[in-house]
Amino acid sequence: KIAAVALATLALFSQDLAIIFNDALQSEITSYVLAIPFIFAYLIFRKRRMLGAVMPSETQNQPKETRHPPTIAGILLSTTAILLYWYGSYTFTPLEYHMSAIPIFAAGLTLILFNPRTLRQLAFPIIFLIFLTPPPSEILYGLGATLSVISSEASNAIANAFGVSSTLSSEYGNPTIFITRPNGATMSFAVDIACSGIYSLIGFLIFAVFIAYIIRDKPWKKLALFLIG
């Protein structure tokens, strides 16, 4: 059953996963994707004892009123994922739609082949797969541009606070800090999207979610750790 879930998911999404990981090897924007399989495997490994206890739970002796609804829900989830995959194939951003369908499809198969208790234990690892979805370029560049402005303004203010003659300009598109040297020469530092920290921030977000989940502590401490990350 475990092999069936894994193989069915890989069979349906193999081409998209190949594109995602090939992109991750070549682009710093999605390089964080390379860590997700290892984190996912570790999350499953941590749950191995609980999964060993709940996976074999038999439902044959349960009344039909409680035995069939999980299977029906699993079929509906799997169908929804396939429809989302099909719809995404006819859009301008098919990869985003296809990757978003993976957690839904995996959750559906888990309900069909196992039981709700198994899905409850696997809920976080399955949801974690949503990070395979590449961030929409419009949002990515919008946040990157905002971070560029914030970081350049902060850097310019720090330079002035230390007595360094510097001014900030955006006439070339990206925020640019101009520093005047003692001999009158000017040095310019452009803060573009790649320098804004947006790519690193995505990686920090993923690891902050991971660490906040695995530590055993109070919810407010988990939230604080996530925000610090």
Side-chain angles (χ1 to χ4, degrees), residues 48-63:
R48 66 192 184 281
R49 292 180 181 175
M50 291 298 296
L51 290 172
V54 300
M55 275 184 173
S57 300
E58 295 293 337
T59 59
Q60 298 300 323
N61 297 325
Q62 294 180 2

Side-chain angles (χ1 to χ4, degrees), residues 37-79:
F38 299 100
I39 296 176
F40 178 78
Y42 176 73
L43 292 173
I44 299 293
F45 178 76
R46 288 185 83 244
K47 292 283 187 178
R48 66 192 184 281
R49 292 180 181 175
M50 291 298 296
L51 290 172
V54 300
M55 275 184 173
S57 300
E58 295 293 337
T59 59
Q60 298 300 323
N61 297 325
Q62 294 180 2
K64 293 181 180 180
E65 291 78 9
T66 58
R67 186 173 60 194
H68 295 315
T71 303
I72 295 172
I75 294 172
L76 290 175
L77 282 174
S78 300
T79 304

